[in-house]
Amino acid sequence: MKLSGKITLASGFVFDYGNMINTPTVTVAAIEALQSRAAAAAEALLKIREQGVAKAHLSKDGTPEPVFFTKLPFVQEGNPNTPASISKLKQFGRYLQQEIDAVVFLGVGGSYLGNKVLFDVFAGSGWNVGCEKSRQGYPRIYFSGNNLDGDQYHEIVSELEYLAQHRLGKQEQFRVLLVPISKSGTTLETLAAFTYFYEQCQKSSLLQLEVAVVTDLAEGASPLCSLAKERSWPCFDIKEGIGGRFCIFSDPGLITAAAIGMDIEAFLHGAKDMEMACRSASLEENPALLNAALKYTAAENGLDIEVFMPYAAKMKSVGEWYVQLLAESLGKRSDRAGNIVYYGRTPVAAVGSTDMHAQTQQHQDGKKDKVVQFVEILERDQQITLNNPFDHVAAFKKYEGLAVDTALKIALAANAEALASDGRLNAKYILPRIDAYYLGQLLYFLMLSVAYEGELADVDAYDQPGVETYKRIMKQKLSQQ
């Protein structure tokens, strides 16, 4: 087996794992010994691709449940994304661009985290404060329902009314669209926020209210669906077999893409190309499978914390999205045979270079129980070179002529080298640039890596039984109020 330390795909996506291999923790021999199990993992993913069936996977009510996330990149009839569903999203986006002043997305877990990624990467912190022209007519975007937080609710409604008072909408009345996102249509955080915003917007003389619902559209499955039909609200589907942590590539995530004018086709195309590049049973050829094998071997040797650290401020929410993907998929008490294994790593979101001043002390000198995953962006939109407006101050002179992005890349390289010098495992995912295509590549690569690792560890990467424990207790306590 030839493990060169780097896999470069035709797209330009690079998986640099040189600092994950040839260490006391992860040896080439240990990875070679996994090849037969890796081949079995590839076979298991092939079954998911062809049949939508994952070994021993059941829904929370104990019945067989399909797994369809590998179908998401392919826009075709019979798949979760169809030509009609993508066309509907794009048409909805044009309506928002022309008619709506603000959208409030109401969701929690995967119905929030993926949407926040798309907003942060392609809209950003200045979206809501910029003029309508800078947004090309697309609405202001707000997120709520991701926590039970009355202060947050009130702040958003107050801001909407302020905008309406100052006539900062397209027409005389300020038009607000609420978008509750919940597969069951009963999610507490989502419904609590939706109820509050609906009531406040309805009784406000300043706001004109509209609603669109994202939920399970199967007959009788969701109270939100029934309500939407009763009120003739637009509806978008949460398809069977797509768990919340995978839904960024389907209606619950793509509706945010539509609301900011993001290139949905490019996003799915990136995921599709990554899917096609990660089907081989060979660890040398399949970067997602190799990533899974490296992390599985590290976990088996006691490394039970994983730090996800992109070197781009706008990608901080990618780390937060990945926290859910890793924690819910691999954090399992039992394997598929029912044996107690307590598998999984504790995920930590970080961002470079910010957290080099916050977390790196622990990464470098703390317990050797971590795998650090970096994301590097080769080309940035803004190429800024520093001048020195303070010639008389010596401390500033050394930064004159410094390219900011060059400094960021040096910071990443220094962090990786420092960790490796002490035998601390780290790897890099390298993207040529940040755009819809390459974000699709990265997110789908992470999904596949987690899916392959679930097969290596023989745990169900698609259920979340631990979540149901607190839900049962919480439901009982709420019923006593």
Side-chain angles (χ1 to χ4, degrees), residues 6-309:
K6 185 182 292 187
I7 296 178
T8 302
L9 301 183
S11 66
F13 178 99
V14 178
F15 175 38
D16 183 343
Y17 60 92
N19 291 339
M20 286 283 290
I21 200 77
N22 285 322
T23 69
T25 308
V26 180
T27 64
V28 172
I31 299 302
E32 288 177 339
L34 280 178
Q35 181 59 73
S36 63
R37 291 176 63 184
E43 185 67 27
L45 263 290
L46 179 63
K47 186 174 182 180
I48 290 174
R49 291 178 175 111
E50 293 181 345
Q51 302 176 28
V53 175
K55 176 185 174 184
H57 173 63
L58 302 174
S59 68
K60 63 184 178 182
D61 63 7
T63 59
E65 182 178 56
V67 174
F68 289 145
F69 86 93
T70 57
K71 297 181 181 296
L72 290 172
F74 301 92
V75 180
Q76 60 190 51
E77 295 300 330
N79 279 3
N81 291 320
T82 66
S85 72
I86 299 301
S87 177
K88 179 180 177 181
L89 283 164
K90 293 171 70 175
Q91 183 178 0
F92 189 65
R94 289 190 290 271
Y95 173 74
L96 301 184
Q97 186 182 26
Q98 295 165 6
E99 303 292 341
I100 299 298
D101 298 307
V103 178
V104 185
F105 289 105
L106 307 162
V108 68
S111 298
Y112 160 70
L113 292 165
N115 301 57
K116 190 64 163 50
V117 166
L118 300 183
F119 177 79
D120 285 357
V121 174
F122 297 108
S125 58
W127 182 266
N128 286 352
V129 297
C131 66
E132 185 176 323
K133 184 177 180 181
S134 69
R135 296 192 303 274
Q136 298 182 316
Y138 285 100
R140 290 176 170 86
I141 302 295
Y142 300 89
F143 294 95
S144 189
N146 54 308
N147 201 356
L148 293 166
D149 192 329
D151 291 341
Q152 181 202 61
Y153 301 172
H154 176 73
E155 287 167 5
I156 293 174
V157 169
S158 295
E159 182 166 336
L160 294 174
E161 292 194 318
Y162 172 87
L163 294 169
Q165 284 173 338
H166 290 79
R167 296 187 177 277
L168 294 174
K170 295 181 175 74
Q171 301 172 26
E172 185 150 338
Q173 267 204 307
F174 195 86
R175 299 177 70 179
V176 176
L177 175 75
L178 302 182
V179 185
I181 307 173
S182 168
K183 182 177 179 62
S184 67
T186 61
T187 309
L188 171 60
E189 292 87 348
T190 304
L191 291 194
F194 176 55
T195 300
Y196 175 83
F197 280 97
Y198 187 87
E199 182 181 19
Q200 295 301 310
C201 291
Q202 278 282 75
K203 70 183 185 182
S204 173
S205 61
L206 299 168
L207 304 176
Q208 181 176 332
L209 176 64
E210 296 186 26
V211 178
V213 167
V214 186
T215 191
D216 186 344
L217 299 184
E219 189 67 36
S222 163
L224 271 179
C225 178
S226 301
L227 188 59
K229 290 180 179 178
E230 175 189 313
R231 303 293 177 91
S232 298
W233 294 335
C235 294
F236 295 85
D237 203 3
I238 299 181
K239 298 289 189 180
E240 181 185 31
I242 307 295
R245 53 195 180 270
F246 299 95
C247 74
I248 190 171
F249 289 105
S250 59
D251 279 7
L254 297 181
I255 195 167
T256 295
I260 59 175
M262 179 184 152
D263 190 337
I264 293 174
E265 285 93 343
F267 185 55
L268 295 175
H269 187 195
K272 179 180 178 180
D273 284 354
M274 184 58 71
E275 162 66 24
M276 300 307 294
C278 294
R279 291 186 164 188
S280 172
S282 168
L283 288 167
E284 301 164 85
E285 299 173 2
N286 184 335
L289 182 58
L290 177 59
N291 192 30
L294 292 166
K295 290 184 187 176
Y296 172 75
T297 303
E300 291 295 280
N301 284 278
L303 277 70
D304 56 8
I305 295 175
E306 181 172 341
V307 181
F308 188 86
M309 192 171 188

Side-chain angles (χ1 to χ4, degrees), residues 329-458:
S329 298
L330 298 182
K332 299 296 159 68
R333 177 187 299 265
S334 305
D335 65 15
R336 284 164 166 157
N339 302 306
I340 301 298
V341 293
Y342 295 122
Y343 191 76
R345 292 178 298 287
T346 299
V348 177
V351 66
S353 64
T354 302
D355 286 308
M356 293 174 71
H357 299 266
Q359 297 185 26
T360 291
Q361 173 60 36
Q362 174 59 240
H363 304 167
Q364 187 70 46
D365 282 356
K367 285 184 67 176
K368 289 190 173 183
D369 56 359
K370 301 166 194 68
V371 174
V372 182
Q373 307 286 282
F374 300 116
V375 180
E376 180 176 5
I377 312 301
L378 294 184
E379 295 180 20
R380 303 297 290 268
D381 290 340
Q382 300 299 321
Q383 297 295 328
I384 295 174
T385 300
L386 301 178
N387 295 313
N388 181 13
F390 310 107
D391 290 337
H392 62 291
V393 182
F396 286 86
K397 290 182 179 179
K398 60 184 175 181
Y399 299 125
E400 185 170 4
L402 177 65
V404 173
D405 190 49
T406 298
L408 186 67
K409 288 181 170 60
I410 290 171
L412 192 164
N415 197 354
E417 184 177 333
L419 291 168
S421 71
D422 195 33
R424 294 172 183 267
L425 301 190
N426 64 93
K428 280 193 300 186
Y429 312 129
I430 304 174
L431 309 183
R433 57 189 169 275
I434 303 177
D435 63 14
Y437 176 85
Y438 285 111
L439 184 67
Q441 290 231 302
L442 175 64
L443 300 184
Y444 195 77
F445 172 80
L446 295 171
M447 288 181 181
L448 282 178
S449 296
V450 162
Y452 280 126
E453 188 177 347
E455 298 301 330
L456 292 173
D458 197 26

